[in-house]
Amino acid sequence: MKINIHTRHADLASDFKEIAEGKLQTMERFSVPIERIDVEVTHEANPHQGKHSHKVVIASHGSGPALRAEATEFNDVAAFDLAVKSFELQL
């Protein structure tokens, strides 16, 4: 499974990629054929967004089902954790 991490208007923490790849590699335990997972991280510049200024979208591509999960939170890792939970429930 290939994992692509894209950012929009964002600078990621140095360990975010390691955390994301580690959690997404555990999805292989469900034996669902997924060729590629795209993770998109967006930072909202609007100060009124405050607690929901970081958005993470996870989408799968492959011969298995098309899955998509998104979450917004106060930082990248928290948003990623919520999106992974939603993604896992869909599997």
Side-chain angles (χ1 to χ4, degrees):
M1 174 172 38
K2 184 177 179 183
I3 299 171
N4 296 328
I5 299 176
H6 305 261
T7 60
R8 290 187 180 193
H9 313 291
D11 292 326
L12 294 178
S14 60
D15 61 342
F16 180 83
K17 186 173 182 177
E18 295 170 12
I19 292 169
E21 288 178 352
K23 289 187 179 186
L24 291 173
Q25 289 294 336
T26 63
M27 299 298 161
E28 292 179 343
R29 70 178 186 256
F30 294 110
S31 300
V32 176
I34 298 174
E35 295 173 13
R36 185 181 79 213
I37 294 180
D38 291 332
V39 178
E40 183 176 311
V41 180
T42 307
H43 288 184
E44 180 64 46
N46 185 349
H48 293 288
Q49 294 297 323
K51 294 183 180 179
H52 301 286
S53 61
H54 299 264
K55 180 179 178 182
V56 174
V57 178
I58 302 173
S60 70
H61 303 280
S63 59
L67 305 172
R68 185 175 188 277
E70 67 179 66
T72 57
E73 275 297 322
F74 63 95
N75 70 13
D76 298 329
V77 177
F80 180 77
D81 286 342
L82 284 178
V84 165
K85 286 180 186 177
S86 176
F87 192 79
E88 193 172 274
L89 286 173
Q90 291 178 39
L91 283 174

